[in-house]
Amino acid sequence: MRETLTISHIGGQGDGVARTERGPVFAPLTLPGEVIRAEVRDGRAEAVEIVTPSPDRIAPVSPQYGDCGGCSLQHWASTPYLDWKREQVRAALAREGIETEVEATVATPPGSRRRLALHARRGPDGRAILGFKARKSWRLVQVNACPVADPRIVAAIPALARVAEAFLEHPKSAPTLHVTWTLDGLDVDVTGVERRSGGLSADARMRAITAAAQADLARLSQAGETLVMARRPRVAFGPAIVPLPAGGFLQAVPQAETAMVERAVEAVRGAGKIADLFCGAGTFTFPLATAAPVLAADASAEGIAALKAGIGAARGLKPITAQARDLFRRPLSPYDLKGCDAVVFDPPRAGAAEQTAQIAQTKAQVVVGVSCNPTTFARDARILIDAGFRLERATPVDQFLWSAHVELVGVFRR
């Protein structure tokens, strides 16, 4: 039986939410104020028909819209969409009893994603196809165009599909190609290959290497192990050119990275020494080192090695000390951070409660938190605030365009 529902707001995962006597009903691809008709099963609306569309509804630009699970909010006008992301940050802070200025969301343009995770499966003709998972499903939606991605990655999809062929050798393999556009071309790291059977055969490995050469990949690796490298992939962090580790972390959108780095550097200006924690290969380290000496730490030995390689090639920097250390198991203590009057930390989605507790005990006067999860950011912010810091401002950044994900930068001062 179909029901008529009115969407009250957008939930944290990007679905519209209708309030009913039985509880909330989540309706994908809807907007606040819209009246819909749908089948309701287990709190989810299916086979949704828009009866009264919102005036903020716009025409989607992706040919896969509605099927691909990547863009849940492509049908929403820019202003209310960006305001919603700002509200996600404000609400997460409010749940921890934190009030501060939440700035307008920093927008990023279409065609700017330099990193994509493309899933590979065999198509009806037996050849590899690449795409994204369908909404709430393991089914693959083939992608030949993507308005979010850098056009150079989109143009390479046919060649990347030929590379993927070799990694489908075992029927239990479900390869994912982690594709990154670098200064030296495409860097591809493949995960999801069946290993219990012995991994890739010598023949499949050679076919992968041949396809990589035909696609002019800078590097092809499998789970961080280089299979072939024509050119060492490099990225620019401030004044430094850094070799990117195979399978290493990199911010997905250069414009988002720039916005976050600029705010971090401005916040710590005047510091005598800066700690950069969860530093990766140096996204923030090198720009920070234009202002003051930097102590950098990250669990990735490969990332720290890349950072050190970048130090030797950069000019005009203050001294950088870098160490590989698991900051979850062995967070830097106030003794380790002695002399650092500013701290920047950019942890994974889980946040960094243990490391934040150590930062709170230092003599640092300013702390910059960078996060891809407003909920864990707010939890860590509460630790700093309880120790005498004030959250001066928070800035949402729309790094993952048309998705429900929100990045943010927060500046704390004692």
Side-chain angles (χ1 to χ4, degrees):
M1 179 178 173
R2 296 180 68 78
E3 298 182 32
T4 300
L5 304 167
T6 299
I7 304 302
S8 64
H9 63 284
I10 300 296
Q13 300 301 311
D15 289 338
V17 182
R19 296 189 177 99
T20 73
E21 293 180 354
R22 302 185 307 277
V25 173
F26 295 88
L29 308 178
T30 59
L31 294 176
E34 291 190 327
V35 177
I36 67 170
R37 287 186 59 77
E39 301 282 348
V40 178
R41 295 186 180 90
D42 299 323
R44 291 199 61 81
E46 300 176 358
V48 174
E49 172 195 355
I50 307 294
V51 177
T52 306
S54 165
D56 293 328
R57 178 173 285 275
I58 60 174
V61 294
S62 171
Q64 293 88 223
Y65 168 80
D67 195 15
C68 172
C71 293
S72 57
L73 296 166
Q74 201 178 101
H75 54 289
W76 207 357
S78 177
T79 297
Y81 160 73
L82 294 173
D83 287 345
W84 176 80
K85 291 209 166 183
R86 182 185 190 184
E87 174 59 20
Q88 299 312 292
V89 174
R90 189 208 62 77
L93 293 171
R95 287 192 290 271
E96 291 288 346
I98 301 169
E99 292 186 4
T100 190
E101 177 190 2
V102 180
E103 297 183 326
T105 305
V106 176
T108 57
S112 58
R113 277 284 295 273
R114 63 181 171 188
R115 302 203 75 180
L116 285 184
L118 293 167
H119 301 283
R121 302 288 186 273
R122 290 204 182 278
D125 61 358
R127 295 183 179 182
I129 60 172
L130 297 180
F132 303 124
K133 290 177 182 175
R135 191 171 308 280
K136 305 292 182 182
S137 170
W138 291 101
R139 180 174 58 82
L140 189 72
V141 177
Q142 185 172 3
V143 171
N144 296 311
C146 177
V148 170
D150 187 308
R152 294 168 292 192
I153 295 179
V154 175
I157 286 178
L160 292 170
R162 290 190 287 273
V163 172
E165 289 276 355
F167 296 94
L168 288 164
E169 178 182 39
H170 194 281
K172 290 187 178 180
S173 288
T176 299
L177 278 63
H178 303 270
V179 184
T180 304
W181 183 263
T182 73
L183 295 174
D184 303 280
L186 286 175
D187 182 27
V188 178
D189 185 56
V190 184
T191 60
V193 176
E194 169 65 31
R195 287 187 175 274
R196 292 183 181 180
S197 59
L200 287 184
S201 67
D203 177 63
R205 183 179 289 245
M206 284 308 302
R207 285 189 281 115
I209 290 171
T210 299
Q214 292 171 345
D216 193 30
L217 302 187
R219 177 174 60 197
L220 176 65
S221 58
Q222 182 183 341
E225 177 190 345
T226 298
L227 300 180
V228 63
M229 183 164 65
R231 303 172 298 281
R232 182 174 295 278
R234 301 168 301 157
V235 291
F237 295 141
I241 303 298
V242 180
L244 185 67
F249 175 78
L250 182 68
Q251 297 289 349
V253 175
Q255 293 90 333
E257 177 181 288
T258 297
M260 293 186 286
V261 167
E262 287 178 348
R263 283 160 176 78
V265 172
E266 179 60 31
V268 303
R269 199 172 300 282
K273 185 178 180 181
I274 306 165
D276 181 17
L277 310 182
F278 305 95
C279 64
T283 303
F284 290 88
T285 307
F286 291 103
L288 293 170
T290 62
V294 177
L295 166 64
D298 192 272
S300 170
E302 296 80 9
I304 293 297
L307 191 156
K308 289 180 176 178
I311 294 174
R315 295 182 179 181
L317 298 177
K318 303 295 193 293
I320 297 172
T321 304
Q323 60 176 286
R325 177 162 171 164
D326 187 332
L327 298 176
F328 290 104
R329 295 183 177 181
R330 296 176 56 232
L332 290 179
S333 68
Y335 177 81
D336 298 318
L337 294 169
K338 186 177 180 180
C340 294
D341 48 357
V343 178
V344 175
F345 69 111
D346 181 14
R349 287 189 62 80
E354 295 83 1
Q355 183 60 77
T356 305
Q358 297 297 314
I359 295 170
Q361 299 174 46
T362 68
K363 294 183 178 180
Q365 295 301 301
V366 59
V367 174
V368 178
V370 182
S371 176
C372 60
N373 186 337
T375 299
T376 56
F377 173 87
R379 180 204 63 197
D380 294 348
R382 184 77 262 170
I383 295 171
L384 292 172
I385 291 168
D386 288 345
F389 283 89
R390 176 175 63 88
L391 179 55
E392 190 174 72
R393 63 183 179 277
T395 308
V397 179
D398 187 23
Q399 175 149 225
F400 296 96
L401 183 61
W402 297 319
S403 80
H405 294 288
V406 189
E407 302 267 341
L408 73 149
V409 182
V411 177
F412 302 84
R413 296 190 192 275
R414 284 200 185 273

